[in-house]
Amino acid sequence: MEEFYLQTYKPTVIKVDDYEQMSAEAAKIIINLVKKKPSASLGLATGSSPVGTYERLIRDHEQNGTKYATVTTYNLDEYVGISPSHHQSYAFFMKEHLFDKIDILAKNTHIPSGSSLDLEKVCEEYEAKIKGIGGVDLQVLGVGTNGHIGFNEPGISFSSKVHVAELAQETRDSNARFFNSHEEVPKQAVTMGISTILLSKKIVLLASGKAKSYALKALLKDELNEEIPINALRYHRDVTIIADKEALSLSIN
Ligand code: F6R
């Protein structure tokens, strides 16, 4: 952990009006990177926050021909106990919202398996893969209302590696909107740990809406509280927060 946690930095904040502008700014950063470095490695998130960004990547690919054939991707997390073909799995989400609509090669997309019988091995191998490339070039993050990043819930150690996480009640409640019933929401996920995320060369965090204002306040305004996972980003030298007015309403005027 060690070398990460000696110094803190201030993230760059790009304040935008709304979700659409947030998505446009994020897409611009990703497209520029992929054009400059066709073999870029991208760390990707699921959930509502990056959907608009992915839509713009697809549109740009169709209209301007930006290529992803040599890009590799590493997703942050996957639910435990549901197969990749389940409509709510993150493997399915990524195919539906991005991978099936650009020229990325399936073999270059990495998502930890949540349906393996040997999750310990899945975690070790995923950590080794990410370490093996020296961390992704660009990690896209959303943030939970409780300040989680990936599925690193409040109280997780900042030195955590890829691991099986218990989802917080607040996270299960919030994600129940995607499932038929609350009982169906998985209780665990395989997730990059905090130290895995901090290996990334650059981090872009997306936040839209009032529900995210508490988490952004914890990062941008409050005293450092290591119980809240988003605060780990203070230890990374290249973090850009792209957030709308509502998400920033408790931290920046
Ligand atoms: C998703 C992930 C989560 C989400 C977070 C916000 O891969 O790791 O941390 O980014 O729960 O979710 P949304 O964007 O749906 O508000």
Side-chain angles (χ1 to χ4, degrees):
M1 52 175 277
E2 310 68 33
E3 79 266 29
F4 286 140
Y5 304 106
L6 297 175
Q7 202 179 333
T8 58
Y9 304 87
K10 271 209 176 336
T12 301
V13 179
I14 301 180
K15 184 178 179 183
V16 295
D17 286 340
D18 53 21
Y19 183 87
E20 294 308 316
Q21 267 190 24
M22 175 189 81
S23 307
E25 288 295 328
K28 232 184 334 187
I29 293 173
I30 299 171
I31 291 165
N32 282 341
L33 170 65
V34 168
K35 282 186 169 156
K36 207 168 98 193
K37 184 175 180 189
S39 63
S41 51
L42 304 177
L44 298 177
T46 56
S48 312
S49 304
V51 168
T53 305
Y54 297 155
E55 281 169 6
R56 280 167 174 76
L57 298 187
I58 294 164
R59 211 179 309 144
D60 166 74
H61 167 71
E62 290 167 355
Q63 294 175 354
N64 307 319
T66 303
K67 292 186 178 56
Y68 293 83
T70 51
V71 165
T72 55
T73 63
Y74 295 82
N75 266 78
L76 275 170
D77 40 25
E78 177 60 286
Y79 288 123
V80 165
I82 58 180
S83 76
S85 59
H86 188 292
H87 281 213
Q88 292 311 330
S89 77
Y90 287 166
F92 191 92
F93 175 104
M94 289 311 301
K95 281 163 79 69
E96 190 183 20
H97 289 285
L98 186 63
F99 296 159
D100 282 352
K101 298 175 178 161
I102 56 175
D103 62 336
I104 195 156
L105 305 181
K107 72 173 174 67
N108 291 344
T109 66
H110 304 92
I111 302 183
S113 165
S115 55
S116 166
L117 293 177
D118 192 348
L119 290 173
E120 207 174 304
K121 184 159 169 243
V122 168
C123 293
E124 271 170 27
E125 289 181 354
Y126 203 50
E127 178 77 22
K129 245 184 221 171
I130 296 165
K131 274 226 177 79
I133 60 162
V136 297
D137 290 317
L138 171 65
Q139 176 67 55
V140 177
L141 293 179
V143 59
T145 52
N146 62 0
H148 73 215
I149 52 175
F151 276 124
N152 295 284
E153 300 286 16
I156 185 79
S157 159
F158 281 9
S159 59
S160 55
K161 298 183 183 346
V162 177
H163 64 283
V164 175
E166 306 293 322
L167 306 195
Q169 192 55 44
E170 190 173 335
T171 304
R172 293 189 71 233
D173 293 347
S174 161
N175 290 6
R177 68 192 194 276
F178 300 117
F179 290 83
N180 294 324
S181 69
H182 198 282
E183 294 69 58
E184 268 186 47
V185 185
K187 295 192 169 68
Q188 295 180 316
V190 175
T191 182
M192 287 189 199
I194 296 283
S195 78
T196 327
I197 292 171
L198 293 184
L199 285 173
S200 316
K201 294 179 186 97
K202 180 181 179 66
I203 296 176
V204 171
L205 181 137
L206 309 178
S208 169
K210 201 143 202 98
K212 304 298 170 72
S213 56
Y214 157 82
L216 289 194
K217 177 171 169 284
L219 173 66
L220 299 171
K221 198 168 180 190
D222 294 346
E223 290 284 300
L224 172 57
N225 172 356
E226 295 207 355
E227 288 291 301
I228 306 178
I230 192 175
N231 274 328
L233 301 184
R234 298 187 196 220
Y235 293 106
H236 194 284
R237 64 169 72 239
D238 191 352
V239 174
T240 300
I241 310 289
I242 309 177
D244 64 16
K245 290 180 196 154
E246 290 203 333
L248 287 169
S249 56
L250 297 179
S251 35
I252 294 179
N253 298 317

